[in-house]
Amino acid sequence: MTKKFLTAGALSTALLTLGSGIYFYNSLPVLRSYDQVKAQYQSSDLYILSHEGKLLHQWRKNKDNRSFQWTALADVSPVLTSEILKSEDRFFHEHSGVSFSSLMASVYQRLFKGSSRGGSTITMQLLKLITPERVKYSGMTGKLRQIIAAYQLERFWSKKEILEAYLNLIPLRGEYRGVAASSWSLFDKSPTGLTLKEAVALAVLVRAPNASVKDWKNRACWQEPSLCSEFPGFIAELSKKTLEPSQQNLALHLAQRLSPRFTSGEVKSTVHLDVQTYTQEMVKSQILNLQEQNVNDAAVLVIENATGNVWAYVGGSGISDKRYVDGVRAYRQAGSTLKPFLYATAFENNILTPHSWIEDSAVDIVFERGIYKPQNHDKQFYGWVQVKTALASSLNVPAVKVFKLLNDESFWTRLQSLGFKNLKEPEHYGPALALGVADVTLEDLTQAYRTLANNGIYTDLRFTSNDPEPEARQVFKTKTAQEVSFILAQNENRALGFGLDSALSTQGASVKTGTSKDMRDNWCIGFNSRFTVGVWVGNFSGEPMWNVMGVTGAAPIWKKVIAFLETNYPSPKISEGSALASTTVIAPEKYPQARIVYPQDGMIMALDPAIPIAHQKMPLLAEGPHPERLQWRINGKKVAGSKSVLWTPEAGRHTFELYQNQKLAQKVQVLVK
């Protein structure tokens, strides 16, 4: 009986031991490979790179912890690696995952000195970082489980892989994970270039990430006694840091835009670093100059015409308190910037040509909601003008008349084809659509002008190097796009509205400004043969600016950016035989008689005492068929020149007469004070 009892007991013990062993074995973690761990690692930040591969902007995505890009072991300062091994695992390169001498020392410290020092190797610590939370390594069985798993890990991972993963995954001060994030937060530099003092200060945090300043200093002194005298002040200063790393902040709104598309990691954009930087500087400078006129915000978009690549994306001034509002995508009233597409529609429908004549005179437009009485911004009427002058000088009354001439929804339909979003139905706007009462974005507006630059062909934008090649659609005929482009490129066409020496005076570029009701929005959009640049200036709050028009608000930014592009990225010159150049030889349509464009009758001018008289000039501009037959007389005396003359003003009242074929066509009087 006794023998049978002992046999049964032994069997029970054996079964219990076997069951415990099976349970223990099954409770071991399923180890992932190095490649799996690295592939599943995610930075807390999105890194927007420039076209050249340089960091433009760092955008935080994960709010739970702060970790940067996975850092290769070769990119960690050898002195930092050495100090971490000295602090955490002196025999890392000798053991196979477990250091029994360290374990025994730990037991001794706990039993006889009351220390809580552990004996875990870096391999054992890494296990806690890469295995699920449900796997426990505490207690006797947990420690045994950790030891066995450490041996397994060392069988399948190299020492380099273990150390590299450890340096990327260890939690350090505050919310930071990995030596890269901590190095940037504490020292404003990558872990590649840490000094010995910096490396020691960082290494001793591994064991106690949130140690007090006193303990932090003591640990550093114990590890590197030769620097002990330097640590108190050094660590005291480090402890005051906000632990917010210095970030590249050159493309906030682009990063904000791309953030929903990319979880983390690096995204190579189409933005050029030098163009982005210069554009931001010009925006900030101009807004600072205009702040006394209640101007706080601005946005700029630079697009390469042929590819649709965005070369600069500046969504705000960097000064405003509305930092995260993206001015590139914000809806604002278009003002006169829609007029080129109105006239292009009329050209397409064979209603007008650039040389047609249209009368700028008072008119009442009757429509469903009442009578509309359009006026020019200066409250004057200029009589008969050519279409090219009406468009480039941004006259309102002719634009409304063109809208009525169309007598359909074709203008509204063209705006839709150009990609303008969220347009209300045509009847919502009525004839006022010709004057830009619709809300548009800078992006859509710049894209529409780029369509003119591309001979009437529309394609989508590209923001990253991985964006697909855009599909093209023809919105305007090539001839129409070139005619409108040529009108907007000729300085004399806009002299009536802006004079000969405005911020729009530039060689080889077509440009148009716009100002919305109550001066709430300034626009300047234009292009050369290679780039289209769009600028908006105003206030995100919707407050009106004080006496700021498109030519004084947005245009100076546009002119500087387009000049920078022309200098650094020259555009191809238009050959004389091109279709665009050929638009200059279209014969003028019949006009009743020659007329004075500038100055206007009754105009009062004031001399500037700060400028020498010889340097003050007033243009005399005329238009009409056969300009070679025109002749100016000032106060009865003939002057050289026909179509245009520069006159040095003198105080007093002056009479300007324009003769056509020896006959008086028109005369005006001007008072100079």
Side-chain angles (χ1 to χ4, degrees):
M1 290 290 292
T2 303
K3 185 175 181 181
K4 288 176 66 177
F5 176 76
L6 290 173
T7 302
L11 180 60
S12 298
T13 301
L15 289 173
L16 182 61
T17 302
L18 178 62
S20 299
I22 293 172
Y23 171 78
F24 182 81
Y25 181 80
N26 289 336
S27 68
L28 289 174
V30 177
L31 297 178
R32 292 178 292 161
S33 69
Y34 163 82
D35 290 334
Q36 288 175 319
V37 169
K38 184 177 178 181
Q40 292 174 10
Y41 173 89
Q42 284 194 343
S43 166
S44 62
D45 290 29
L46 180 65
Y47 299 85
I48 307 299
L49 305 182
S50 70
H51 163 78
E52 304 87 353
K54 297 179 180 178
L55 182 61
L56 274 175
H57 197 90
Q58 191 172 337
W59 175 266
R60 184 166 183 180
K61 298 274 293 184
N62 186 342
K63 305 300 182 183
D64 295 331
N65 61 62
R66 199 68 190 269
S67 54
F68 288 6
Q69 288 289 84
W70 184 277
T71 305
L73 187 59
D75 294 329
V76 178
S77 168
V79 70
L80 176 60
T81 304
S82 174
E83 290 300 322
I84 287 180
L85 291 178
K86 183 177 178 180
S87 175
E88 296 300 310
D89 193 348
R90 292 172 181 265
F91 307 109
F92 174 74
H93 291 290
E94 283 75 48
H95 63 65
S96 299
V98 180
S99 172
F100 284 101
S101 60
S102 296
L103 285 174
M104 296 305 296
S106 172
V107 171
Y108 175 80
Q109 292 280 346
R110 287 174 180 271
L111 291 177
F112 299 104
K113 295 196 174 181
S115 170
S116 60
R117 177 182 177 87
S120 296
T121 62
I122 281 179
T123 309
M124 295 168 72
Q125 293 180 50
L126 178 61
L127 283 168
K128 293 183 178 181
L129 301 173
I130 65 172
T131 53
E133 291 184 2
R134 68 175 183 274
V135 179
K136 304 299 181 184
Y137 292 122
S138 57
M140 289 297 295
T141 57
K143 182 59 68 174
L144 182 58
R145 185 183 296 115
Q146 187 180 21
I147 289 171
I148 296 173
Y151 277 120
Q152 290 181 326
L153 189 66
E154 293 255 355
R155 284 181 59 198
F156 300 110
W157 287 37
S158 69
K159 287 286 187 180
K160 174 184 174 297
E161 291 171 340
I162 291 171
L163 187 54
E164 182 174 296
Y166 178 75
L167 293 175
N168 279 279
L169 298 175
I170 47 173
L172 285 158
R173 198 160 186 81
E175 62 177 345
Y176 289 89
R177 183 176 64 157
V179 295
S182 302
S183 180
W184 278 108
S185 67
L186 289 172
F187 311 115
D188 279 345
K189 62 170 72 171
S190 76
T192 309
L194 294 184
T195 65
L196 176 60
K197 181 169 65 175
E198 292 166 340
V200 172
L202 182 55
V204 297
L205 285 177
V206 175
R207 191 172 306 162
N210 295 306
S212 65
V213 175
K214 180 181 178 182
D215 288 343
W216 190 359
K217 179 199 70 175
N218 290 340
R219 290 177 186 274
C221 283
W222 178 86
Q223 177 140 330
E224 197 60 55
S226 64
L227 297 175
C228 190
S229 62
E230 299 181 37
F231 283 129
F234 180 62
I235 289 177
E237 286 301 313
L238 291 181
S239 67
K240 297 175 184 177
K241 291 232 175 180
T242 59
L243 294 183
E244 183 63 29
S246 62
Q247 296 173 298
Q248 191 67 293
N249 190 18
L250 293 175
L252 168 65
H253 299 94
L254 177 61
Q256 188 171 272
R257 180 189 190 120
L258 296 178
S259 177
R261 289 174 53 187
F262 303 95
T263 55
S264 65
E266 294 180 349
V267 176
K268 190 174 182 180
S269 74
T270 58
V271 168
H272 284 54
L273 181 59
D274 58 339
V275 182
Q276 179 78 4
T277 303
Y278 181 82
T279 302
Q280 283 188 329
E281 291 172 354
M282 293 305 100
V283 166
K284 187 174 182 179
S285 174
Q286 176 70 345
I287 297 307
L288 286 173
N289 289 336
L290 294 174
Q291 280 197 305
E292 291 186 358
Q293 293 171 266
N294 198 38
V295 183
N296 297 289
D297 300 296
V300 181
L301 193 63
V302 178
I303 311 169
E304 187 177 37
N305 295 332
T307 62
N309 290 347
V310 172
W311 280 44
Y313 190 115
V314 179
S317 66
I319 301 170
S320 169
D321 58 353
K322 294 176 173 55
R323 182 168 179 255
Y324 291 98
V325 177
D326 185 354
V328 173
R329 294 192 287 175
Y331 281 92
R332 311 292 299 198
Q333 197 173 84
S336 296
T337 55
L338 297 184
K339 287 175 182 173
F341 313 112
L342 170 70
Y343 283 91
T345 304
F347 296 168
E348 290 273 290
N349 293 358
N350 296 316
I351 293 175
L352 297 170
T353 74
H355 298 274
S356 299
W357 293 91
I358 190 166
E359 188 176 13
D360 179 26
S361 59
V363 64
D364 292 344
I365 306 292
V366 181
F367 65 111
E368 292 179 2
R369 287 153 55 184
I371 297 176
Y372 179 49
K373 297 184 177 184
Q375 289 185 316
N376 294 319
H377 70 88
D378 58 5
K379 310 299 183 186
Q380 295 189 55
F381 297 108
Y382 295 94
W384 286 96
V385 295
Q386 285 187 295
V387 162
K388 61 181 182 179
T389 300
L391 169 55
S393 293
S394 203
L395 302 182
N396 288 337
V397 176
V400 174
K401 288 184 176 180
V402 172
F403 181 87
K404 294 299 291 182
L405 283 172
L406 289 172
N407 197 32
D408 58 16
E409 297 179 359
S410 56
F411 174 42
W412 182 86
T413 303
R414 294 283 180 176
L415 294 180
Q416 281 200 317
S417 299
L418 285 165
F420 287 100
K421 305 174 188 67
N422 295 335
L423 289 176
K424 295 180 171 58
E425 293 303 311
E427 55 270 15
H428 173 82
Y429 305 110
L433 183 60
L435 306 184
V437 296
D439 289 335
V440 301
T441 67
L442 177 63
E443 179 178 330
D444 289 348
L445 199 54
T446 309
Q447 269 285 72
Y449 277 76
R450 175 177 162 250
T451 300
L452 294 177
N454 283 341
N455 292 326
I457 298 173
Y458 177 96
T459 64
D460 290 330
L461 295 180
R462 298 180 74 247
F463 298 95
T464 77
S465 59
N466 292 326
D467 288 348
E469 292 295 326
E471 295 183 3
R473 65 172 183 266
Q474 191 88 36
V475 179
F476 290 115
K477 296 174 185 175
T478 299
K479 179 185 177 184
T480 298
Q482 291 181 343
E483 286 176 337
V484 173
S485 300
F486 192 75
I487 289 172
L488 298 179
Q490 301 306 300
N491 200 33
E492 60 266 26
N493 291 338
R494 53 178 163 263
L496 182 63
F498 303 99
L500 286 173
D501 188 24
S502 72
L504 305 180
S505 302
T506 183
Q507 293 294 322
S510 304
V511 59
K512 182 74 180 71
T513 61
T515 303
S516 68
K517 186 178 179 182
D518 299 327
M519 295 187 182
R520 297 180 188 274
D521 305 286
N522 263 193
W523 305 91
C524 187
I525 323 288
F527 51 86
N528 59 25
S529 57
R530 186 171 181 185
F531 298 100
T532 300
V533 179
V535 181
W536 169 85
V537 168
N539 292 301
F540 289 141
S541 65
E543 293 181 38
M545 296 169 283
W546 303 336
N547 195 31
V548 181
M549 302 291 289
V551 74
T552 57
I557 299 174
W558 178 87
K559 189 170 185 177
K560 289 175 181 176
V561 172
I562 205 79
F564 177 87
L565 291 167
E566 191 61 59
T567 299
N568 295 278
Y569 303 94
S571 56
K573 302 302 179 185
I574 298 173
S575 63
E576 292 185 4
S578 71
L580 179 55
S582 68
T583 60
T584 59
V585 299
I586 298 176
E589 297 181 10
K590 187 177 180 181
Y591 173 69
Q593 64 179 24
R595 63 180 290 271
I596 295 174
V597 175
Y598 190 90
Q600 295 297 304
D601 191 36
M603 181 179 290
I604 299 175
M605 297 181 60
L607 295 170
D608 191 336
I611 301 176
I613 291 293
H615 294 167
Q616 299 189 53
K617 301 290 183 182
M618 186 182 85
L620 307 182
L621 303 175
E623 63 182 6
H626 305 293
E628 72 279 359
R629 300 177 187 175
L630 301 180
Q631 177 66 56
W632 284 95
R633 290 185 184 182
I634 303 176
N635 299 324
K637 297 180 180 179
K638 292 183 179 180
V639 297
S642 54
K643 188 176 177 181
S644 62
V645 173
L646 287 177
W647 175 66
T648 302
E650 300 174 358
R653 190 176 297 278
H654 304 276
T655 300
F656 301 90
E657 297 172 308
L658 179 68
Y659 282 78
Q660 180 182 27
N661 296 325
Q662 307 297 322
K663 294 181 180 180
L664 179 65
Q666 188 182 2
K667 71 176 180 179
V668 298
Q669 288 191 329
V670 173
L671 177 62
V672 179
K673 293 183 176 181

